[in-house]
């Protein structure tokens, strides 16, 4: 899947992704980078709203997993089961979410479970980083893949 | 603060609250109930998007704390510090988030800290419930109040 395809998919399937103003900077097995403008996502203090930050970090993880399953030829639905977010510093500029893949052994285990059981869980992390690379928010979630019927 | 005032405040100050289609059903020291339509918040499976559910539960907690501080005559900013969300079941209808206040002693401690130190933290919970009252998602977050300068 190419970045523009993912953007169009997200905005068509998840209307709030369009309201967030999601853009897909990069998308590969090595990771995902999404951006969203501060203006659409600001709060009463002019910094980024916690719900928007959470949404963009969820979408980065979701996109990575969906794309990784597709690269392996698996047609799966992906849903979120748990989410833990730490808001470390206010986000005063545009939102930039980066998802780095889990450990390779964890990914292989997940792909085997999808084949054997039709369902698998994977813990995936993403972060909001500023232009200097400083981490402003940290997210980790459990995502579940179900083979699509 | 009345429900309509809160709705107008949220939609003016936090543009994504308007995109979520937030409505304020009730607002008092005893709790907050917010709703949002499924259509604006659906995902690729036609159920509610995890990021929207998180956003509505954050807004319910935020609204309760902001309103409670105002009732006590305190002019504070409220921000979120951590969030933990459990997505227990798919949300197949409109989103309904309910925030029940923390224990009274915790609230009193928070109000004293605001007076003494100008800043205080409070753990607040909210839930997504369906029309029969079943809990579909559970949220708990740490919120921080700062006296506005």
């Amino acid at each position: 899947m190419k970045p523009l395809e993912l953007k169009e998919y997200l905005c068509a399937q998840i209307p709030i992704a369009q309201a967030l103003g999601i853009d897909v900077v990069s998308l590969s097995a090595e990771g995902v980078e999404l951006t969203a403008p501060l203006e659409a996502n600001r709060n009463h203090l002019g910094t980024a709203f916690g719900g928007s930050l959470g949404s963009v970090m969820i979408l980065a993880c979701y996109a990575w997993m969906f794309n990784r399953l597709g690269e392996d030829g698996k047609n799966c639905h992906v849903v979120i089961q748990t989410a833990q977010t730490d808001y470390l510093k206010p986000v005063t500029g545009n939102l930039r979410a980066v998802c780095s893949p889990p450990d390779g052994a964890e990914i292989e285990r997940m792909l085997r479970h999808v084949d054997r059981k039709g369902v698998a869980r994977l813990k995936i992390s993403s972060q909001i980083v500023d232009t200097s690379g400083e981490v402003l928010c940290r997210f980790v979630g459990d995502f579940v893949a179900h083979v699509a019927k």
Side-chain angles (χ1 to χ4, degrees), chain A residues 14-34:
Chain A
I14 306 178
I16 214 70
Q18 179 131 29
L20 294 164
I22 285 293
D23 205 359
V24 180
V25 177
S26 65
L27 170 70
S28 75
E30 282 68 51
V32 171
E33 184 177 337
L34 303 181

Side-chain angles (χ1 to χ4, degrees), chain A residues 1 5 32 34 47-48 62 92 106 111 119 125:
Chain A
M1 197 178 236
E5 267 179 275
V32 171
L34 303 181
T47 60
Y62 167 79
T92 58
E106 286 300 301
L111 294 170
V119 60
S125 301

